[in-house]
Amino acid sequence: MLSEDELGDRISTRVINEYSKLKPICRPVTRPTGVKEWTVLAGIVAINRKNDTNNIDVLSMATGVKAMPDSELRRSGGKILHDCHAEILALRGLNTVLLNHIKEYNPANGSDFIQSNDETPPRFKLKDNWELALYISKLPCGDASIDFLNDNCKNDHDFPKIEDDDEFQYVNSSVKTILRGNLNFNRKNVVRTKPGRYDSNITLSKSCSDKLLMKRLSSILNALNYELFVQPVFLKYVVIPGLENEVKHVLKQSFHDRLPNANHETIFMSCNTSFYDDKAGEEDVPSLMCSIKLFMNDHTNEEAILNGVKNGFYTKSSKPLRKHCQSLVSRFAQWELFKQIRPEYEGMSYLQFKSSQKRRTRLIIAIKDILSPDGWIPTKIDDVQ
Ligand SMILES: [Zn+2]
């Protein structure tokens, strides 16, 4: 049996090893001016516990630190990725990989990874020997990492000092349980939007801490896979480099105390290997480029993503989107894949389908009520036929 530390190291080594093989366009660069770019890396792996083999398969990986301003989403039609933080892209990637496994599933041959039941049409489950882990090269943004913001970040330039009664910290002053980015960083246990400069166009995507926390109860399956799976699928481990006990304690508080107990716990594991394209110096800048790599049954797909669409496809926000600009992990692409698996949903829109999923919808509303009792502030409606 591997110790937790050994497992954490093996997982991070596998993900970083795959990262090294990405096309150069998918990775940060040193700009002609000599300024170095950095990014965050995340990956979802499956650990095979059969006979204690502990083989690790990478299923999806992603890099990125960007989120789209809400105003950009008007023309999306499911094609623009709202949130390109690495861990969120990796989770979207996993959902595309699962949809692909189901689409390719052949009952005669079965699959190493999933098994079907005898319903018509069949639904699926992850085989019992697999456990899933998320690797992230740094703490998720938002509540779980707010105590560890570098003191250099706590300056007036990035985060002006906010008094508790200052309305400036809110996206909407009638919702005092959702804060804008890292503003008023002394407050804990609140939902936060994705951090960004307070004078930039606002993104209403929620922080990675909040999103990961919600998935601890609602599972990592999106609405489409939730329909196709017999039971939800949860992350067993989250691996982050250099987690000391104090940090683990704060993570546990943020991930386990903000919501009622689920019957499964997420275990936080440390690893020794640091990620070589993380921010190294104060002058380094975040890379604008994001990327995904998906590990399907018999092939991989790799995409560089800029401004929420495939690199090279972005048009100014006053213009319509270009054909085929959407990423494989976009709502548009996932909905297409789902309708190939379940053609009976042809003619329904993605959001109509989603609202028909009563159980999942109820669960998510209940989670949002607990996390933000004053109400929820959604991102712009983004539907696709
Ligand atoms: Zn984040």
Side-chain angles (χ1 to χ4, degrees):
M1 189 77 185
L2 283 175
S3 73
E4 274 186 16
D5 283 354
E6 285 169 321
L7 184 59
D9 275 327
R10 277 173 63 168
I11 291 169
S12 63
T13 308
R14 281 284 284 125
V15 177
I16 293 172
N17 186 32
E18 289 296 341
Y19 171 82
S20 308
K21 298 182 206 163
L22 289 179
K23 289 178 276 197
I25 185 73
C26 294
R27 291 182 278 153
V29 294
T30 300
R31 295 183 183 170
T33 51
V35 174
K36 263 194 87 219
E37 296 181 344
W38 61 274
T39 195
V40 173
L41 170 65
I44 309 259
V45 305
I47 306 148
N48 191 352
R49 293 300 199 179
K50 196 173 191 173
N51 307 326
D52 252 353
T53 47
N54 296 306
N55 284 339
I56 292 167
D57 284 353
V58 180
L59 301 175
S60 70
M61 56 184 281
T63 64
V65 289
K66 293 283 160 190
M68 291 304 282
D70 208 54
S71 55
E72 279 271 341
L73 302 176
R74 202 171 301 123
R75 59 181 174 154
S76 171
K79 292 187 173 179
I80 298 180
L81 296 165
H82 302 191
D83 183 341
C84 291
H85 280 215
E87 51 271 63
I88 304 306
L89 283 181
L91 283 163
R92 294 196 72 86
L94 173 76
N95 275 287
T96 296
V97 169
L98 291 176
L99 286 169
N100 219 70
H101 271 289
I102 291 175
K103 186 175 157 251
E104 307 277 297
Y105 186 80
N106 175 344
N109 301 335
S111 149
D112 283 343
F113 197 54
I114 52 172
Q115 65 189 66
S116 67
N117 68 3
D118 48 16
E119 288 174 52
T120 316
R123 292 195 298 150
F124 296 83
K125 74 185 276 267
L126 209 59
K127 287 191 168 173
D128 290 336
N129 53 301
W130 295 104
E131 289 178 350
L132 297 185
L134 165 68
Y135 162 85
I136 328 171
S137 63
K138 62 170 16 164
L139 289 170
C141 61
D143 191 71
S145 59
I146 202 91
D147 287 353
F148 307 104
L149 277 184
N150 186 323
D151 282 342
N152 293 331
C153 301
K154 294 178 176 176
N155 57 35
D156 286 352
H157 184 65
D158 287 338
F159 309 114
K161 176 94 179 101
I162 298 273
E163 301 301 330
D164 272 343
D165 59 356
D166 192 337
E167 305 251 305
F168 183 61
Q169 65 193 297
Y170 305 117
V171 179
N172 173 340
S173 59
S174 64
V175 182
K176 294 195 165 39
T177 40
I178 299 185
L179 263 55
R180 186 170 176 178
N182 292 334
L183 292 175
N184 202 1
F185 45 76
N186 292 323
R187 264 182 87 184
K188 283 285 289 176
N189 297 333
V190 279
V191 173
R192 291 174 179 277
T193 59
K194 286 250 136 71
R197 282 182 55 111
Y198 64 89
D199 52 357
S200 61
N201 269 336
I202 192 161
T203 165
L204 295 179
S205 290
K206 309 304 174 294
S207 75
C208 293
S209 293
D210 297 314
K211 288 188 174 179
L212 292 175
L213 172 63
M214 292 175 75
K215 291 180 195 310
R216 193 174 70 75
L217 286 193
S218 70
S219 94
I220 53 176
L221 300 180
N222 66 7
L224 311 177
N225 280 313
Y226 202 88
E227 180 73 21
L228 299 170
F229 275 74
V230 179
Q231 61 198 48
V233 176
F234 296 94
L235 286 177
K236 175 98 191 236
Y237 307 102
V238 175
V239 183
I240 302 174
L243 281 189
E244 288 162 12
N245 284 340
E246 183 205 349
V247 186
K248 269 192 192 168
H249 179 70
V250 171
L251 277 172
K252 268 193 172 161
Q253 278 183 330
S254 183
F255 276 86
H256 293 281
D257 296 353
R258 291 175 70 199
L259 281 181
N261 259 340
N263 49 10
H264 48 268
E265 198 188 358
T266 311
I267 299 170
F268 290 96
M269 294 194 300
S270 185
C271 61
N272 291 312
T273 331
S274 56
F275 172 49
Y276 58 86
D277 275 333
D278 194 358
K279 184 173 183 177
E282 278 314 308
E283 303 301 312
D284 297 357
V285 296
S287 173
L288 299 177
M289 194 66 80
C290 307
S291 70
I292 52 146
K293 186 165 183 179
L294 309 181
F295 299 77
M296 312 292 198
N297 256 340
D298 52 357
H299 68 282
T300 59
N301 291 91
E302 190 173 326
E303 286 175 349
I305 292 164
L306 190 63
N307 295 319
V309 294
K310 283 193 295 184
N311 182 39
F313 283 80
Y314 182 71
T315 49
K316 282 199 187 125
S317 54
S318 55
K319 302 220 166 98
L321 289 174
R322 279 178 58 188
K323 230 180 167 174
H324 308 304
C325 67
Q326 73 276 5
S327 158
L328 285 168
V329 302
S330 65
R331 188 172 282 188
F332 186 97
Q334 290 181 340
W335 182 234
E336 286 282 294
L337 203 48
F338 178 75
K339 286 187 296 181
Q340 288 169 25
I341 299 166
R342 291 286 184 87
E344 64 268 32
Y345 289 104
E346 199 65 58
M348 196 184 250
S349 83
Y350 171 82
L351 290 181
Q352 282 168 343
F353 166 76
K354 209 173 160 182
S355 65
S356 75
Q357 279 188 315
K358 301 281 182 247
R359 213 176 93 217
R360 184 173 185 273
T361 305
R362 265 200 309 273
L363 176 61
I364 289 178
I365 289 174
I367 294 172
K368 287 175 175 174
D369 279 348
I370 297 170
L371 291 181
S372 176
D374 286 359
W376 200 254
I377 302 171
T379 50
K380 204 174 284 307
I381 289 175
D382 186 1
D383 202 7
V384 47
Q385 272 301 318

